[in-house]
Structure formats: structure tokens, C-alpha cells
Amino acid sequence: MNCSTVKEWMPHYIDGQLSPEAQQAIHLHAQTCPGCAEWLEEARELAAMWSGMEAGLDRNGQEPVLPHDFPDLTGDVMAKIGELENGRRERTVKSTMSRRRTTRGTSWMHYGVAVGLTFLLLQLGVFENLAYGITEINGHMSTSVSSWFGPQGNNK
């Protein structure tokens, strides 16, 4: 049995929940492996401490721990969480509302700027030679394609 398997099954070994064969294998491994023996000792101490806490004893197992020694903070903590959550929701709603207003105004502004720039470019004649340029490019492409495939078609 390897160390990782022993450490994985250690809580079940301490509680006596393993089969006798598995109990014996872990026992033998802990006797021959100092690291696992130390791990087993620490696990037994933690189990004993946990049992003592469940029984209402302190760390040394001497004095009883009374329930009224610990304040109940659940209500206060949950109230504070509620306040923080409500504040977060209010900030989210406000920021969303302000973004919507600016988004609507911004989109119309963008359309207006686009129309204005298009009109300005038309007035300056930027698009005047655009159709001629496209026709020229189309003619050059047509000529080059014809020169690539044309001679093969004429050899018939």
C-alpha cells in the first residue's frame, strides 16, 4: 500500500470503517513508514479534538464550553449582506439607466456625423472618380484572366 492511499483512507481507518484486511494493511504501513505514522498521530489528535468540541469540552477536554459564550452573529451578518446587496442593485440600475440614455443619444449622433461626412465628401468630389476606378480595375482583371485562359481556348 502506498502513502497516498494510506492518507486517503486514514479517516476511515481512525473511525474503524474499513475491512479488517484494509485496517491491517494501513496498520502495517504506518509501522514501517515514519511519515504516515506522524500523519496518523496528527489525524488521531484532530479526531479527538473534534469529538471533544462536539461534546462541549475545550481543547484540553477539561472545562465545558457554554453555548452562551459565543454570540450569535448570523442575523447581523445576514442583515449586512442584504444591505450590501441592495446597494449593489441600486448602483447597477442607476449605471444601466445612465448608459441607456447616452447610448441612445450617441447612436443618433453617430448617424448624424456619418451623414454629414458623406455629404461633405460628395461635395468635395471624392466619389466622382470612384465609378471610373472600379471600371478600370474590372477591365484589367478581365484582360488578365482572358490572357491566362484565352490561348488554351483558341487552340481548338
Side-chain angles (χ1 to χ4, degrees):
M1 187 170 278
N2 62 21
C3 294
S4 62
T5 305
V6 169
K7 289 176 182 177
E8 180 182 343
W9 289 99
M10 193 73 66
H12 304 294
Y13 173 77
I14 292 171
D15 291 340
Q17 297 176 345
L18 297 176
S19 67
E21 297 83 21
Q23 289 276 116
Q24 183 66 22
I26 291 176
H27 177 72
L28 292 174
H29 180 85
Q31 285 181 341
T32 59
C33 178
C36 287
E38 183 179 335
W39 188 277
L40 176 61
E41 184 61 32
E42 288 178 13
R44 282 184 174 150
E45 289 174 10
L46 286 172
M49 189 184 322
W50 187 260
S51 297
M53 286 173 47
E54 286 179 339
L57 303 175
D58 70 354
R59 258 188 165 175
N60 300 324
Q62 302 295 325
E63 302 173 19
V65 178
L66 300 175
H68 67 275
D69 288 346
F70 300 107
D72 184 21
L73 301 175
T74 307
D76 295 335
V77 169
M78 294 307 291
K80 185 64 175 174
I81 290 172
E83 290 174 19
L84 292 173
E85 185 64 22
N86 288 336
R88 184 192 62 80
R89 283 186 189 138
E90 289 174 8
R91 286 190 308 275
T92 303
V93 168
K94 287 178 184 175
S95 65
T96 304
M97 296 290 283
S98 64
R99 272 199 315 258
R100 285 183 184 157
R101 271 187 244 117
T102 57
T103 304
R104 289 181 187 145
T106 305
S107 64
W108 284 109
M109 185 173 29
H110 285 136
Y111 290 132
V113 169
V115 168
L117 284 174
T118 304
F119 182 72
L120 179 66
L121 292 173
L122 283 171
Q123 290 299 317
L124 293 175
V126 172
F127 299 120
E128 191 172 305
N129 295 325
L130 183 64
Y132 177 75
I134 291 174
T135 306
E136 281 292 314
I137 291 171
N138 191 16
H140 289 294
M141 292 295 291
S142 177
T143 305
S144 62
V145 169
S146 297
S147 67
W148 288 341
F149 297 110
Q152 291 174 354
N154 293 336
N155 290 337
K156 286 186 181 179

